Structures are given as structure tokens and as C-alpha cells.
Amino acid sequence: MRTIYAVTHPEATHHIERVVGGWHDSQLTPAGHSAAASIAQALRAQIPDGADVELFSSDLQRTRQTAEKVAELFGVTPILDRRLREKSYGKAEGRPQEWLDQRFIPPPAAGERLEHDEGVEGAETKAALAQRIFAAMHEILQRPCEHQIIVTHGGSLTFVVASWIKMPITTVGHAFFEG
């Protein structure tokens, strides 16, 4: 039996600064650090003492800081994987959210959504995001560990869950899972 715990990082500086996150390497706020400690405590309460635990995290600072709080309580070292990062927003990274909002072209309500160009130079498509997260999850799920904790981002969570439940990658264009 395997249990997967999918965790998204709590409040980070890009949230309060109202700038685009993505690959912008923001860090947790004081409230985010406190929430990360609470997340770690909640996981510790769920996972039996002595159980085999692996911890995977995006390599960006905000997820790494969240994973470090968890790692402290379990005595494990986080395995950092850049494939668990948030969607890259290209030129929008670190810019005001309004800048992205003015340029963003939403995907169509029906039809092809994974390869849709959102109108921002250098931005990753949902297809590219899904493919890299599915690849990371495939490797994680091949490991025989009983309890696996995955620390990722709000936008990436959909693809972590979709991969975990074996949703075909071609069907995730309309999927959205919130943490």
C-alpha cells in the first residue's frame, strides 16, 4: 500500500507583491513559514512513526523551504526535482500580475487547450508543463516507498494529481485540482 501526500507551498512573497510566480524564485513569507510548519505537523500526525517516507520537492525556493520544514520532522532529505516546478510564464516572470493579465489569451472553452499559446513570449504551454510533471511522477511512482510526500505549486498540483490517478495526459486540458 502506498500513500501520496501532495502539498502546495503556502504564502510566498510573489503572492503579497502581486507579481507573477511561475519560475520567479520567490520565498515564503513569515506567514508562509508558519503555515509550512503547520503542514509538516499535520503530515507528522498522519504518517506513523517509523514508516518509510520519501520527500520530493520542486527546486524553487518557496517549495524547498516548505519541504525543509517537513524534512525536519521526518529526518529525511528532500529530493529536489525541477520538473515539479510551476508553469513557466516566460517574459512575465516576476512582473506585476496586471502585466500578465493584459497580455494573457485564455484557452478556448472547447477543443485543443494543451498546446494553446497564451500570448506571452517564452511561456510554457500546458502540454509542456503536463509532460514534465507526468515524467517526474512516473519516476516517483516507480519507487517502492510506502509514504511519499510531494511539495509543488498550486498550478502544478493539477498535473501531479492527474498523473497519480493515471489520467491520460491528452485529457488534462480541462482538468483543475485545487489544494
Side-chain angles (χ1 to χ4, degrees), residues 22-63:
W23 289 14
H24 174 66
D25 204 11
S26 63
Q27 55 187 307
L28 294 180
T29 64
H33 279 285
S34 178
S38 294
I39 290 166
Q41 289 291 338
L43 288 167
R44 181 69 271 175
Q46 290 288 315
I47 299 172
D49 286 339
D52 189 22
V53 175
E54 288 182 324
L55 174 59
F56 300 89
S57 176
S58 157
D59 65 336
L60 292 175
Q61 203 170 181
R62 57 198 183 264
T63 47

Side-chain angles (χ1 to χ4, degrees), residues 26-105:
S26 63
Q27 55 187 307
L28 294 180
T29 64
H33 279 285
S34 178
S38 294
I39 290 166
Q41 289 291 338
L43 288 167
R44 181 69 271 175
Q46 290 288 315
I47 299 172
D49 286 339
D52 189 22
V53 175
E54 288 182 324
L55 174 59
F56 300 89
S57 176
S58 157
D59 65 336
L60 292 175
Q61 203 170 181
R62 57 198 183 264
T63 47
R64 208 171 55 239
Q65 290 171 325
T66 305
E68 287 166 359
K69 296 285 189 195
V70 174
E72 288 172 19
L73 291 186
F74 287 96
V76 298
T77 301
I79 299 167
L80 303 180
D81 190 331
R82 67 182 289 115
R83 296 174 299 174
L84 294 171
R85 285 181 174 192
E86 183 62 275
K87 178 184 182 307
S88 170
Y89 286 94
K91 287 191 103 168
E93 301 289 341
R95 291 184 186 234
Q97 183 62 47
E98 299 89 39
W99 188 93
L100 174 60
D101 294 344
Q102 291 169 358
R103 290 157 179 80
F104 185 79
I105 301 168

